[in-house]
Amino acid sequence: RDYLINLARDDYYQAGGEPLGRWWGKGAESLGLPHQVTSQHLHRIMDGYHPLNPGKKLVQNAGKLQREIGWDFTFSAPKSVSVIWSQAEPTTRKAIEAIHESAVRKTIDFLEERTTTRRGKGGMIQESATLVTALFEHGTSRELDPNLHTHTVVLNLGIRPSDKSTGTIQINELLDNKMLAGALYRAELGK
């Protein structure tokens, strides 16, 4: 919780010369989120409230301090791609960024197909859910080396397609697929 909150509070995701964050996932679309991420919307969802209707709780533990707010899945281009990207003329650079973004989005779509949430007494009913993710593209490592990568903040909020109700997501299956997701990202990037 503190990691993502601190990054959001320090505007790590939104500061500097990096592109603005973008919402992705069918869940983000269902909530009616605009294309660009705003700190206000991000913080409301992190707290478990509707981003456009702050009084509306989306999860049972909305506003609780001990709430798990989400996870940062980071997809990094290989060093050789990052170096070429950093030295390329603007047209080539934009093309590499578009390929990278497409690979990230296809990977998140893959994870979304495996996303579930629970409901009912004791959470006994497991259902599919759509994701609310925020994508933040960066071009350097902390050491300021070329490093084209995207922080994909998978928020702990799933939207059930059956009735558009909301709940927290079950993260274990997504974490179990993180190596596969990384391989899928690299395969999509290499197409």
Side-chain angles (χ1 to χ4, degrees), residues 160-180:
R160 299 174 188 103
S162 61
D163 62 3
K164 303 294 185 213
S165 63
T166 58
T168 58
I169 64 173
Q170 293 183 277
I171 192 62
N172 290 342
E173 188 163 349
L174 298 185
L175 293 177
D176 289 346
N177 283 297
K178 70 180 179 179
M179 299 301 284
L180 182 58

Side-chain angles (χ1 to χ4, degrees), residues 89-163:
E89 42 84 24
T91 303
T92 301
R93 191 175 202 168
K94 289 289 183 201
I96 292 170
E97 289 169 3
I99 293 166
H100 167 75
E101 183 172 332
S102 175
V104 169
R105 288 179 179 206
K106 287 180 181 178
T107 303
I108 295 307
D109 291 347
F110 166 83
L111 291 173
E112 187 169 51
E113 291 172 8
R114 286 147 184 79
T115 301
T116 57
T117 186
R118 298 180 315 163
R119 76 160 113 193
K121 186 174 181 174
M124 297 299 291
I125 302 168
Q126 183 173 312
E127 296 179 59
S128 65
T130 59
L131 288 174
V132 178
T133 60
L135 309 178
F136 299 96
E137 183 183 296
H138 291 152
T140 60
S141 69
R142 288 192 172 104
E143 292 79 29
L144 302 181
D145 291 332
N147 180 15
L148 179 61
H149 65 284
T150 298
H151 291 272
T152 303
V153 180
V154 177
L155 292 152
N156 192 8
L157 174 65
I159 300 178
R160 299 174 188 103
S162 61
D163 62 3

